[in-house]
Amino acid sequence: MENLRKDYSHIKGWGIDADPENDPTYPMKPHRTDAEQSGYSWERPTQQPVDVEVLHSIERPNVSAVFGTAVPPSGLSGVIRRFAFKYSENSYLHWLPLILADRVNVVEGIIDDFKTGHVPNIFAEKGYNAEWKHDKIGLITKFAVAAALVAGVVVLLNKKDKDDYDGDDD
């Protein structure tokens, strides 16, 4: 299959940086060389050994040279993260599951705390002390909205139970 060059001149701004004489980054990069055009323009750090599971974008050909290993993906949140990294970073199927995985991971952390006999101080860990000090109205509003939502769910669930009950004991 031959690689044909396509004409993108109809796209406004396409190829604006193709001419090195008209480089829009010139003031920021006064000592520019053409070596940047061929790939890495810096010495790549030594690759950190991969001894835990590291999730990386499908747009990247390799793992970053340096990465965090403190909390490798595990549990339900890890399953959700593995699913998310099967999709491109320009897809909602990448970012929305990652947000969900973060929320699931919080719940997993609370469960782990209880399993080890530690009762978490959620009020302090979520920063409510600072919020109470600096934004009392916002914190009260947040708790009022949460209470209203919980009350609404309870009312809906109780209404459904009453609708299911027809009153006959026979």
Side-chain angles (χ1 to χ4, degrees):
M1 182 173 163
E2 60 183 298
N3 188 3
L4 299 175
R5 232 179 136 83
K6 295 184 180 179
D7 180 27
Y8 295 106
S9 60
H10 63 283
I11 300 172
K12 184 177 178 172
W14 185 268
I16 194 168
D17 57 350
D19 180 11
E21 298 299 319
N22 183 22
D23 185 357
T25 63
Y26 173 74
M28 295 174 277
K29 294 172 122 181
H31 305 293
R32 181 180 173 136
T33 65
D34 287 332
E36 294 175 356
Q37 306 300 331
S38 63
Y40 292 126
S41 62
W42 40 272
E43 185 70 30
R44 183 173 162 84
T46 305
Q47 178 68 49
Q48 178 179 345
V50 181
D51 52 2
V52 295
E53 180 181 11
V54 178
L55 300 174
H56 67 93
S57 171
I58 60 173
E59 281 96 16
R60 294 187 56 85
N62 52 13
V63 178
S64 299
V66 180
F67 49 85
T69 61
V71 184
S74 64
L76 179 60
S77 63
V79 171
I80 296 170
R81 289 178 202 284
R82 287 181 199 98
F83 169 81
F85 276 93
K86 292 179 182 177
Y87 294 93
S88 172
E89 289 183 11
N90 69 345
S91 168
Y92 286 127
L93 282 173
H94 179 81
W95 295 108
L96 293 179
L98 288 177
I99 293 170
L100 175 64
D102 286 344
R103 303 315 182 260
V104 169
N105 192 250
V106 168
V107 174
E108 289 173 338
I110 292 170
I111 292 170
D112 286 343
D113 283 347
F114 281 122
K115 284 197 309 194
T116 60
H118 176 261
V119 179
N121 185 353
I122 295 172
F123 194 82
E125 289 176 11
K126 289 191 65 70
Y128 290 143
N129 289 333
E131 198 166 351
W132 179 256
K133 181 177 178 182
H134 298 287
D135 187 18
K136 287 181 184 170
I137 294 172
L139 183 62
I140 291 168
T141 304
K142 188 184 294 185
F143 283 144
V145 168
L149 287 172
V150 169
V153 169
V154 168
V155 166
L156 285 174
L157 291 176
N158 282 337
K159 183 178 187 273
K160 182 179 176 188
D161 289 344
K162 289 178 183 175
D163 290 342
D164 291 343
Y165 181 70
D166 61 5
D168 288 334
D169 290 336
D170 296 334

